[in-house]
Amino acid sequence: MDKNTKMFTFGILVLVSLVFAILPLIIGYAVGPFGSFVFALVAVIFAILAFSVKYYDYLVLSFVHMKKGTAVVSSDDPFYMAPNGNAVVVRGETLVYASAFVRIPIYESASEMQPEDKFEFASLFAKVATISKTPMKLSVQLYIINKDDYIRKITDKLNQVQEVYNQLSNQPGTPADKTERINGEVTMWHNLYDSVNKTRSQTLAAYAMVSAVGGTEEEAINIAVIRAEEIAAGISSVLGITASVAREEEILVMLEPDHMIPSRTVDEMMQYKSSEQTTV
Amino acid sequence: MDNEALIYIGVTLISGALVLIGAPESGFLELGVVIIAILGMVLILVIYFADFLVFPIFTKIARITIIPGKDYSIPPSEDAIIKFSGGIYYATGYLTANIYNYVFAQEEISEEEKANITAAPDKWERAVMNLNFPFKFNIVSTSQEIQKYRDELEGKRGLLQFQYSKEVSNSNANPMTLRDIERRMNVVQARIDRLGGGERPIDTMLYFESTAVGVSEKDAMDALTTQLDKIQTIFNGFDLSIVRVVGREMYLLHKLNYSLPDVEQLKATFQTQR
C-alpha cells in the first residue's frame, strides 16, 4: 500500500472507532447499558485495527477476503526476469521496481594471505559497503553447485563403455587384454560417478544488489542496470577484481531456493532420510 | 518515536480514552468497558513495541496461513517462508546479525582491535567450512548525507569542548571526568577525521538467511530450525547479536530479495545501525 492509501485506510478505521466511542455519550440513554457496551467494544476493535494498518497494511485487504484461514497477499510470481535477463522486475500498485545484481568474483582464500593482507582485505570489503549512494545489499552466499549436467555426462559415458564391455564379453575370440582394458575403463567411470555423487559440492559467491523505481518497466530496468554498472566499476576499483552485472541463471541462483539447491541434491537428501527412517 | 508513529498512537489512544469517558453510560457493565478500553490501549502499545510477539500468536491461534506470492506460503507460526516446487518444500528463515554497541564505541583502532580485524577473514572461512548447507549473509547499507553527519559531529565536539573547559575552570576539577571528556572528544574527532579521509557514513542492517528442504512442510521447517541454530552457534564468536526473525519483519526481509526500498522506507521499516 502506498503512503496515501495507508493513511486513508487508517483515517477511515479510526473515524469509525471515534464515532463508536462517542455514541454512548450521545445516545447512551437510548440504547441502554448493553448497547453502550457493544459500541465501546466495536470502538476498541476498530482502534486496534486502525493502529495495525501502520505495520500490516499489506494484509488489510487479504484479511477482508480471507477464505478457510488463508490470506492471499498476492497470487502472482514475486518477480519476473527482465527481457534482457540483466535484472528482475517487481510491479507495485503504480510504480515498477527493478533490481540488478553485480557478481563479485573473489577467488583468494585467507589461508593464502599474509596478516597485513588480511587486514587490508577486511578494510577494503568494509569500504565496498560505502560505495553506493542509494541503498545497496551486499550478500555472500553458500550454495550447492548444480552437478546434474556433469553427472549426466558421466552416466552416459559409463553406459556407453558398459555397453562396449558387454558386447566384447559376449563376442567369442575377443583378446583377454582388450576385455580387461575395457573393464578397467568401466571401473574408472564407476569410481568417478561414485566420487562425484558422494559429496555435495558447494561454492561461496559474493554479489551486490541495487534497485530502482520507474513509471515503466524499461525506465526502472535502465536505471537499475546503470546503478549496477557504476557499482561494478567501484567494486572493481576498490578490490582490484573484475566485477560484472549478473544475468539470468546467476540471478536465479541468488533468488530462488530451487535453484540454490539443485533437484538431484534434494533427491539424494530425501533418499538418505527415507533410508534412515527405514533403518529405525 | 517518529511523527508518523505519534499520529498513529496518539489518535488511537484518544479513541480508547473516549471509550473510558463513556464507560459510565454502560451502567452495570461499566467495569467491563473500562477493562476492554485499557486492554485495547495496552495491546496497541504492545503492537507498537513488540508486534513480532503479538502477530504470530494471533495467526497461530486463528491458524492463518499467508500467501505472499505464487508457490510461496507463510505458516501460522510466521517463522519461515515456504516454497513448494517440484514436489519438494523449501523453507527459508532469517536471523538478525546486529553488531553489539560496544563495538561501535571503538573509534581508534587499538592493537587488539587490529588483531581481531586481521583474524576476521580466517574466522569467516572456518565458520563457512563448518556449515554444509545453503545460507546467505546480507548487509543492507544506505549512505548518510556527509555534511549533515559532519555538522552533527562538530556540534557534539563543540559541546564536549564546552564541558571540558567548564570542568577545567572548576576549582575542584575531577581528573576522571576530564579524562572521560577527553576520551569522548577523541572518539568524535576520529569520526570527523575519517569523514575527511573520504569515508562515507552509512547505516547498515545485517542478517542471515538459510534454506532447508523436506518432503513435507514440517520436515523442511524442522531442518531449517536445525540450520539456523547451527548458524547461531557458529557465528557467536563474531560480536553479533543473532536472533531469529519472525512475523512482519521476516516477510519484509523476504521482499528485500527482489527489490530494495528507498532510504526513507528502509528507515521507517527497519532499525539500522550506524
Side-chain angles (χ1 to χ4, degrees), chain A residues 15 31 38 55 68 74 81 87 91 101 103-104 113-114 117 142 149 160 171 207-208 210 221 231 240 257 263 268 276:
Chain A
L15 194 62
V31 298
V38 168
Y55 292 137
K68 292 182 186 173
S74 169
M81 194 63 73
R91 284 202 171 269
F101 299 78
R103 275 181 61 251
I104 307 174
M113 297 179 193
Q114 298 299 319
D117 295 331
L142 182 74
D149 276 348
Q160 195 184 347
Q171 213 171 358
Y207 64 93
V210 280
I221 291 171
I231 284 168
S263 56
E268 282 167 19
E276 265 196 322

Side-chain angles (χ1 to χ4, degrees), chain B residues 176-188:
Chain B
M176 278 183 63
T177 306
L178 284 171
R179 264 199 299 277
D180 180 55
I181 296 174
E182 270 179 20
R183 188 190 61 77
R184 283 154 61 193
M185 273 169 47
N186 287 341
V187 166
V188 173

Side-chain angles (χ1 to χ4, degrees), chain B residues 99 101 103-105 107 142-145 148-150 152-153 156 191 200-206 267 271-274:
Chain B
I99 302 176
N101 280 336
V103 176
F104 286 105
E107 288 300 337
T142 57
S143 288
Q144 298 288 306
E145 272 181 49
K148 188 179 165 190
Y149 192 55
R150 180 189 287 278
E152 274 177 30
L153 289 174
K156 268 188 202 165
R191 286 187 174 176
R200 190 181 284 149
I202 53 171
D203 279 345
T204 56
M205 190 174 70
L206 291 76
K267 287 188 177 173
Q271 279 183 328
T272 53
Q273 293 186 300
R274 182 173 292 182

Side-chain angles (χ1 to χ4, degrees), chain A:
Chain A
M1 230 184 238
D2 64 44
K3 207 171 177 180
N4 292 335
T5 313
K6 197 167 153 179
M7 284 308 280
F8 179 74
T9 309
F10 169 72
I12 296 287
L13 290 170
V14 91
L15 194 62
V16 171
S17 173
L18 287 169
V19 164
F20 277 94
I22 292 170
L23 274 176
L25 294 167
I26 300 171
I27 57 168
Y29 63 91
V31 298
F34 280 115
S36 298
F37 179 82
V38 168
F39 287 155
L41 186 63
V42 171
V44 167
I45 289 171
F46 271 89
I48 295 169
L49 284 175
F51 186 79
S52 302
V53 166
K54 176 172 166 46
Y55 292 137
Y56 297 100
D57 52 312
Y58 64 96
L59 285 176
V60 166
L61 285 176
S62 315
F63 272 26
V64 167
H65 296 127
M66 194 164 64
K67 282 178 189 166
K68 292 182 186 173
T70 303
V72 179
V73 177
S74 169
S75 52
D76 297 327
D77 285 316
F79 70 94
Y80 58 93
M81 194 63 73
N84 280 344
N86 55 1
V88 298
V89 181
V90 177
R91 284 202 171 269
E93 286 170 22
T94 49
L95 298 168
V96 182
Y97 302 85
S99 300
F101 299 78
V102 175
R103 275 181 61 251
I104 307 174
I106 299 172
Y107 300 118
E108 210 179 344
S109 164
S111 57
E112 298 163 1
M113 297 179 193
Q114 298 299 319
E116 53 273 13
D117 295 331
K118 290 179 196 176
F119 181 82
E120 197 188 330
F121 178 78
S123 308
L124 287 176
F125 204 86
K127 204 172 172 186
V128 165
T130 67
I131 272 180
S132 174
K133 289 178 197 155
T134 56
M136 177 178 81
K137 187 171 82 162
L138 262 180
S139 299
V140 180
Q141 176 176 326
L142 182 74
Y143 66 93
I144 297 163
I145 295 173
N146 190 340
K147 295 189 290 189
D148 288 1
D149 276 348
Y150 184 51
I151 291 170
R152 201 174 304 122
K153 284 178 188 165
I154 296 174
T155 313
D156 288 347
K157 192 68 191 174
L158 173 61
N159 290 338
Q160 195 184 347
V161 175
Q162 184 75 54
E163 182 69 31
V164 170
Y165 175 72
N166 290 341
Q167 280 174 2
L168 286 176
S169 302
N170 292 333
Q171 213 171 358
T174 309
D177 59 342
K178 192 173 181 182
T179 316
E180 201 63 36
R181 188 172 50 77
I182 299 293
N183 188 28
E185 205 178 329
V186 169
T187 308
M188 180 200 78
W189 285 109
H190 245 298
N191 288 343
L192 182 62
Y193 176 80
D194 289 342
S195 161
V196 169
N197 265 317
K198 205 166 42 177
T199 52
R200 283 184 287 177
S201 301
Q202 298 177 131
T203 187
L204 197 67
Y207 64 93
M209 171 188 163
V210 280
S211 297
V213 66
T216 64
E217 182 182 310
E218 202 182 311
E219 184 188 349
I221 291 171
N222 284 342
I223 299 171
V225 170
I226 288 169
R227 283 182 183 166
E229 283 167 354
E230 285 171 2
I231 284 168
I235 292 174
S236 300
S237 162
V238 168
L239 295 179
I241 56 168
T242 309
S244 57
V245 177
R247 303 184 67 84
E248 292 184 60
E249 186 60 32
E250 289 171 317
I251 296 176
L252 289 174
V253 166
M254 298 169 202
L255 297 184
E256 295 279 55
D258 41 346
H259 286 254
M260 205 188 312
I261 306 175
S263 56
R264 191 180 191 90
T265 308
V266 173
D267 288 342
E268 282 167 19
M269 285 170 68
M270 296 305 110
Q271 282 171 24
Y272 176 70
K273 275 190 181 166
S274 64
S275 70
E276 265 196 322
Q277 283 164 1
T278 312
T279 309
V280 168

